[in-house]
Amino acid sequence: PAPAAAGRAPGPPDGGWGWVVVFGAFVSIGFAYAFPKGLAIFFKEIQDFFGTSYSEIAWVSSIMLATTYGAGPISSILVNRYGSRPVVMFGGLLCGVGMISAAFCTSILQLYICVGFITGFGLALNLQPSVIIIGKYFLKRRPIANGLAMAGSPVMLCTLAPLNQFLFDNFGWRGSFLILGAILLNCCVAGALFRPIGAGTALVKTQVAEEGKDALKGKISEDGKEMSSALNVPMENKTEEEEGKDCFEKINQYLDFSLFKHRGFLIYLIGNVLMFLGFFAPIVFLAPYAKHTGIDEYSAAFLLSILAIVDMVARPTTGIIANSKWVRPRIQYFFSFAIAFNGTCHLLCPLASSYTGLIVYSSFFGLAFGMVCAMLFETLMDLVGAARFTSAVGLVTIAECCTILLGPPIGGILIDTFGDYKYMFIKCGAVMVLAGTFLFIMNYYNYRMLAKEEKERKTKEEDPKSVRTENEGRKNWNKDSTQDGPELEPLREEGEGVKKEMNGT
Amino acid sequence: EYEIVLPGVSGTALQKNVSVGSPTKVELTCKLDENSNLKNPQVTWKRGSETISHTSKTQNSWTIQLTISDSSQLGSYSCILKGEVEVSATFHLQVPQIEGKERPIITYEGDLAVMVCKTEYAPMAWTWYMTNGTELVAINPSSHTNKFRIKRQSADVNRLEILKLTKEDIGVYWCEAAFRLGSSKRRFELRVLSIMAPLKPFIAVVAEVVILVTTIGLYEVYSKKKGEGEREFDQIEQL
């Protein structure tokens, strides 16, 4: 017997088809992160073929990475408009087309376009929607779902690296690109699994309206829409939102810029942008550093394999830990700790000069890297709520885009200037410890503020009249959208959560 | 100007490659690690069975100076330290080698094949050969302008381009760098595939994708119909 539409809505499935979606996200995210790294095998050959320098070839990777992160907002807008499934399927198609046309390229510029822009854009259309749809299918078990999905990256990397080598040895780079284009079409399969849940398009329209009452009603029914799987909830609010929209609000419809007023979002943004400055450089330079200390090529490559294997295990494990009842309410602290731990590893790396030392470093690095990645999107969802996550992830990725691109080149400059790798490790370690500490302190402040606001809201709720005023409505709406709103309610008392939703009107 | 540091414990023999392209003076030094247990060893420099006398020595290092004027003076020179244990190190003096691992070059019909050779020091001349049966035939780009192009990217990097590939171009190619003291060669194996070769796995993967997407779509339509049927049943029950 299905409950009526008013108020009491069931939570997200937290299972069932959700696990199939996690598998789809696993594949999709795996391709998005691992594919650019896997291409490095072809670079030497392509460099010889076109007679260019190494840095010109490295641009292919950079353009691809920049497009994947920079196209985040576009991805968010499309998901807000059309839902995850069509976007991922289109993304997979785009990736395939990009790589297939790359197989027929006759100049390095054409490669920039085909591999860099087209495939990069396709991967962007894969990454964001996959992360978003996990937030729609899971709430109670979301950290586990996130951890499992993010594990796709190391698994795909471990699969793609030998596969790419095999393809290259048998088909040369042109044939490999052709076949890789077909393999990327599997993202369409992953996308096909992303069954839409709730009514996707009305979501953003309802949450951006700033009018008090409308906002409250909008939030409640939006929650209801978001969380009902196949029920036909009547969309009463649509007509109310249609009035009085100016251009700014129209843009806000598709991409929620009001997030920049959201305290938790800003904290996350600043902390992460800082962190990414030192996040990827150590991976890029691990093998060269190992060779620099005299280790042979294969053992150096083995270090990266150790990193990937530890990473693979660390991500779902972190998801499980983050889901436990001790950690979940304080997940931001866990995230800050993971980042600081990562930074400390880098700071200690220069002390490891022997091969065993580097193996230990790689293992710890793999662990820390996995921990951070597993919680990367989970913490953002935790802060802004699943509804606004779509826009949040787009805005965050485009901001991170700059520092991600800057990180390795800055590391490279440090290495070239001082002729020693240790300054690069120190820089990365310091930046990450700083980011971790910043996030820790700011989240402590954030948690305190949220607790205070929660108390204020509770006292105001006793007085039904004040709930109806415009100001109060806006304040309530802001509170509802922050982490304490629908997020922790199901974790504390289910009854209380239901009561809140009903009392909101 | 070339030095090897010995640890003073017997283990794998230490080696170093020294590239010598043109006549020059070379200094080879064997140095004993300060922390080693070997004290005041007896040091001999050898080349094959021939002993060479030191040019100079300090507390823990022994040096010989060689004047290389022709290819007969290239080879392996070793220093042997005798004490409680015997340790040695070898310097291999050779003509600069062409960098790169042996790996087949895979190209396609109608495409372009590129072979690049790079050395540490610039040679006097670069020559490219193709094999005709068992013979090496030098490639003359001016007589086959539509087929071969040789480009000099820099003094130490040379590049052969083979255009409009056909199956007849399959075979072994060599690049040779000539130095005053000798020459070094590198082997390339060229393979030419037809377009059909990668097309088969390509079509296989595309077919797999299409089948999976269709299956998932059909399953979803089927389970929706089932769900609707159940709901209608429930509504009828409620009445």
Side-chain angles (χ1 to χ4, degrees):
Chain A
R8 207 222 185 278
D14 267 314
W17 187 254
W19 297 117
V20 181
V21 170
V22 168
F23 175 70
F26 178 89
V27 170
S28 197
I29 292 175
F31 275 122
Y33 281 123
F35 190 73
K37 294 184 202 161
L39 279 186
I41 294 178
F42 299 107
F43 284 171
K44 181 79 177 59
E45 179 77 10
I46 297 177
Q47 180 189 340
D48 281 345
F49 189 83
F50 289 114
T52 60
S53 67
Y54 182 72
S55 57
E56 282 176 295
I57 293 289
W59 270 106
V60 173
S61 237
S62 305
I63 293 178
M64 200 179 198
L65 208 59
T67 319
T68 308
Y69 277 88
I74 302 178
S75 203
S76 294
I77 294 174
L78 289 173
V79 172
N80 272 334
R81 184 90 172 70
Y82 300 107
S84 286
R85 174 186 265 176
V87 180
V88 177
M89 294 189 77
F90 179 65
L93 209 62
L94 212 57
C95 288
V97 164
M99 287 311 287
I100 293 171
S101 41
F104 298 103
C105 279
T106 50
S107 80
I108 192 87
L109 190 63
Q110 290 174 9
L111 268 185
Y112 288 158
I113 298 173
C114 293
V115 180
F117 281 117
I118 301 182
T119 313
F121 188 58
L123 290 178
L125 294 181
N126 264 301
L127 179 60
Q128 254 85 308
S130 310
V131 181
I132 290 169
I133 201 163
I134 290 179
K136 291 193 185 155
Y137 266 88
F138 286 88
L139 182 58
K140 272 192 262 192
R141 300 223 195 101
R142 203 175 55 199
I144 298 181
N146 262 316
L148 278 171
M150 295 298 279
S153 171
V155 169
M156 277 294 171
L157 187 60
C158 280
T159 326
L160 273 181
L163 179 70
N164 280 0
Q165 189 65 52
F166 170 78
L167 286 176
F168 179 57
D169 288 340
N170 284 297
F171 297 105
W173 68 270
R174 287 196 194 269
S176 304
F177 278 6
L178 189 70
I179 298 175
L180 281 173
I183 292 177
L184 279 176
L185 285 177
N186 277 298
C187 292
C188 294
V189 176
L193 292 170
F194 290 166
R195 226 180 258 183
I197 185 165
T201 50
L203 272 167
V204 176
K205 288 187 187 152
T206 55
Q207 64 186 331
V208 181
E210 292 270 333
E211 327 312 317
K213 261 193 295 188
D214 291 344
L216 277 177
K217 245 209 272 181
K219 181 73 175 75
I220 302 308
S221 54
E222 162 236 293
D223 267 13
K225 277 180 212 151
E226 179 191 327
M227 295 182 192
S228 65
S229 26
L231 304 171
N232 288 321
V233 177
M235 317 221 289
E236 326 137 322
N237 281 315
K238 236 184 160 179
T239 43
E240 293 181 47
E241 318 316 334
E242 230 76 6
E243 322 158 332
K245 292 233 149 70
D246 61 351
C247 183
F248 180 69
E249 281 197 19
K250 257 209 156 69
I251 298 177
N252 248 5
Q253 243 180 48
Y254 296 111
L255 198 64
D256 191 358
F257 282 102
S258 67
L259 277 166
F260 284 109
K261 293 190 214 144
H262 189 289
R263 193 176 49 237
F265 177 74
L266 286 172
I267 295 173
Y268 181 88
L269 188 65
I270 298 173
N272 273 48
V273 163
L274 194 61
M275 172 191 74
F276 272 110
L277 209 51
F279 198 48
F280 286 116
I283 302 181
V284 174
F285 291 111
L286 182 60
Y289 174 60
K291 283 185 226 167
H292 178 83
T293 53
I295 298 171
D296 66 281
E297 214 176 296
Y298 288 106
S299 309
F302 185 60
L303 285 174
L304 285 171
S305 310
I306 295 178
L307 208 156
I309 293 173
V310 176
D311 190 9
M312 235 187 274
V313 175
R315 292 192 194 202
T317 320
T318 312
I320 295 175
I321 296 176
N323 208 58
S324 65
K325 66 174 191 283
W326 302 286
V327 181
R328 182 114 192 243
R330 299 179 202 95
I331 198 171
Q332 304 297 332
Y333 293 142
F334 191 40
F335 186 52
S336 325
F337 163 71
I339 296 177
F341 174 50
N342 206 342
T344 340
C345 280
H346 297 323
L347 287 174
L348 294 176
C349 178
L351 298 174
S353 40
S354 66
Y355 187 55
T356 1
L358 280 180
I359 291 188
V360 172
Y361 167 71
S362 297
S363 325
F364 277 107
F365 184 17
L367 178 68
F369 191 74
M371 282 170 76
V372 174
C373 282
M375 287 193 284
L376 204 56
F377 293 114
E378 173 60 35
T379 41
L380 185 57
M381 278 186 212
D382 189 62
L383 284 167
V384 305
R388 301 172 83 184
F389 179 71
T390 315
S391 311
V393 72
L395 295 170
V396 159
T397 47
I398 199 173
E400 289 167 354
C401 180
C402 311
T403 44
I404 288 177
L405 286 177
L406 286 174
I410 292 181
I413 292 174
L414 280 171
I415 295 174
D416 289 335
T417 329
F418 293 103
D420 194 352
Y421 281 81
K422 72 171 182 210
Y423 293 104
M424 187 267 305
F425 283 112
I426 292 176
K427 158 241 172 193
C428 293
V431 160
M432 291 193 75
V433 169
L434 188 67
T437 329
F438 170 80
L439 281 172
F440 192 87
I441 296 173
M442 292 310 286
N443 274 303
Y444 174 69
Y445 165 71
N446 192 34
Y447 275 136
R448 284 253 304 260
M449 294 298 288
L450 286 171
K452 225 196 301 175
E453 285 165 7
E454 176 75 14
K455 241 197 282 178
E456 283 174 17
R457 182 176 53 168
K458 274 204 174 110
T459 51
K460 291 238 161 70
E461 239 160 45
E462 315 302 286
D463 182 11
K465 244 195 274 176
S466 65
V467 170
R468 294 244 165 214
T469 59
E470 220 178 65
N471 288 335
E472 197 47 33
R474 202 176 292 135
K475 203 163 155 201
N476 262 349
W477 171 65
N478 267 331
K479 277 186 233 146
D480 269 337
S481 317
T482 57
Q483 153 217 337
D484 242 17
E487 295 305 318
L488 293 182
E489 289 313 319
L491 299 172
R492 298 209 204 109
E493 294 175 53
E494 286 232 85
E496 223 198 85
V498 169
K499 197 173 79 165
K500 270 199 165 40
E501 285 183 43
M502 291 193 77
N503 281 343
T505 17
Chain B
E1 307 120 42
Y2 297 94
E3 182 181 286
I4 297 183
V5 179
L6 293 100
V9 264
S10 56
T12 47
L14 295 168
Q15 323 219 16
K16 203 172 207 144
N17 289 334
V18 178
S19 300
V20 185
S22 41
T24 181
K25 285 209 181 103
V26 169
E27 232 179 58
L28 305 174
T29 308
C30 278
K31 194 163 158 201
L32 189 60
D33 190 32
E34 301 146 0
N35 306 325
S36 87
N37 297 324
L38 209 54
K39 300 292 173 212
N40 297 323
Q42 221 192 9
V43 177
T44 24
W45 281 93
K46 272 189 166 181
R47 187 194 166 206
S49 51
E50 191 192 315
T51 311
I52 311 164
S53 51
H54 305 310
T55 314
S56 64
K57 105 189 229 335
T58 64
Q59 174 82 32
N60 310 349
S61 71
W62 298 263
T63 309
I64 55 168
Q65 215 180 58
L66 305 162
T67 312
I68 314 284
S69 49
D70 66 74
S71 57
S72 61
Q73 287 163 320
L74 296 170
S76 305
Y77 292 79
S78 323
C79 65
I80 306 161
L81 280 71
K82 267 198 213 132
E84 294 105 40
V85 285
E86 184 175 302
V87 286
S88 65
T90 316
F91 293 89
H92 300 285
L93 265 67
Q94 52 190 299
V95 169
Q97 300 297 297
I98 302 180
E99 293 163 21
K101 282 195 298 241
E102 167 81 53
R103 214 186 45 218
I105 297 182
I106 302 176
T107 47
Y108 292 89
E109 288 171 347
D111 194 15
L112 169 75
V114 172
M115 300 177 201
V116 178
C117 282
K118 182 182 189 308
T119 51
E120 209 182 327
Y121 301 106
M124 293 188 312
W126 288 97
T127 325
W128 290 89
Y129 298 95
M130 60 186 196
T131 43
N132 196 350
T134 45
E135 274 177 29
L136 285 181
V137 178
I139 297 175
N140 190 352
S142 44
S143 54
H144 301 98
T145 37
N146 290 336
K147 190 73 182 165
F148 296 104
R149 274 208 301 247
I150 296 183
K151 279 192 185 150
R152 182 184 172 279
Q153 272 180 250
S154 63
D156 50 359
V157 182
N158 204 263
R159 179 188 162 91
L160 171 72
E161 288 176 12
I162 309 179
L163 298 95
K164 297 201 194 70
L165 289 165
T166 62
K167 292 258 171 161
E168 277 130 33
D169 294 312
I170 296 178
V172 177
Y173 293 77
W174 297 86
C175 83
E176 188 187 47
F179 297 90
R180 289 271 291 280
L181 295 172
S183 61
S184 51
K185 287 221 272 260
R186 185 180 167 194
R187 182 178 183 273
F188 291 96
E189 192 190 322
L190 184 67
R191 283 196 218 156
V192 182
L193 304 174
S194 79
I195 304 279
M196 289 300 130
L199 215 54
K200 280 186 237 154
F202 174 77
I203 292 179
V205 178
V206 172
E208 168 244 328
V209 169
V210 169
I211 291 173
L212 281 176
V213 173
T214 326
T215 318
I216 294 170
L218 288 174
Y219 176 72
E220 191 166 321
V221 169
Y222 165 74
S223 53
K224 260 216 188 105
K225 284 219 175 97
K226 216 168 77 164
E228 270 168 32
E230 280 176 6
R231 225 178 307 133
E232 280 174 18
F233 190 65
D234 280 348
Q235 285 177 353
I236 293 170
E237 270 203 349
Q238 282 174 8
L239 293 173

